[in-house]
Amino acid sequence: MELNEYQKLAMITKKKWDNKDAELIDSALGLCGESGEVADIIKKHLAGSKEMNLDDLKKELGDVLWYLAETCDYLNISLDEIAKLNIEKLKKRHGDKFSGYGDRSDENK
Ligand SMILES: [Mg+2]
């Protein structure tokens, strides 16, 4: 699935907010909350108190993605744009690691 397709489908389930500030707060706190759920699964695994359930971890990572999509939707930014910007940043920071990989930025045009 492509990121923008995911964002479009995920936002079908987005709550309708009367207050735009509340929507942004929901997005930001949701990202923090779901990231915390990911961290908790890993923490309990590392502490030996609970075996890691990969299916549960995948679901929580999906929840993080959902709130990221909501945050981007609020800001009128596509997930695809965020992904591209992040790769550009990584290339500037770790350019040598991308050598030989080629420039795939034009593949979908
Ligand atoms: Mg969750």
Side-chain angles (χ1 to χ4, degrees):
M1 175 178 282
E2 299 294 325
L3 287 172
N4 285 348
E5 181 186 4
Y6 168 82
Q7 185 175 7
K8 186 176 174 184
L9 292 173
M11 290 304 95
I12 291 171
T13 65
K14 186 172 109 172
K15 179 180 174 181
K16 305 288 184 225
W17 294 93
D18 293 331
N19 180 324
K20 292 298 283 179
D21 288 342
E23 181 180 351
L24 184 58
I25 291 168
D26 181 74
S27 301
L29 294 180
L31 265 175
C32 293
E34 297 301 342
S35 298
E37 291 187 48
V38 169
D40 192 55
I41 288 173
I42 294 169
K43 180 202 74 174
K44 287 176 179 169
H45 167 69
L46 293 176
S49 61
K50 190 174 180 183
E51 198 166 312
M52 187 182 320
N53 182 315
L54 194 55
D55 288 335
D56 288 345
L57 184 57
K58 288 176 184 178
K59 288 174 187 170
E60 297 306 339
L61 288 168
D63 290 345
V64 172
L65 183 61
W66 191 95
Y67 277 106
L68 178 61
E70 185 187 47
T71 305
C72 289
D73 192 66
Y74 174 88
L75 298 168
N76 291 317
I77 301 169
S78 71
L79 281 178
D80 196 54
E81 179 182 354
I82 296 300
K84 286 177 184 171
L85 287 170
N86 184 253
I87 291 298
E88 287 172 17
K89 183 173 119 180
L90 291 171
K91 283 182 174 177
K92 284 180 184 166
R93 194 176 291 168
H94 308 281
D96 53 320
K97 294 182 178 176
F98 287 90
S99 63
Y101 189 76
D103 183 6
R104 301 179 56 185
S105 62
D106 293 333
E107 281 187 2
N108 293 326
K109 290 182 181 174

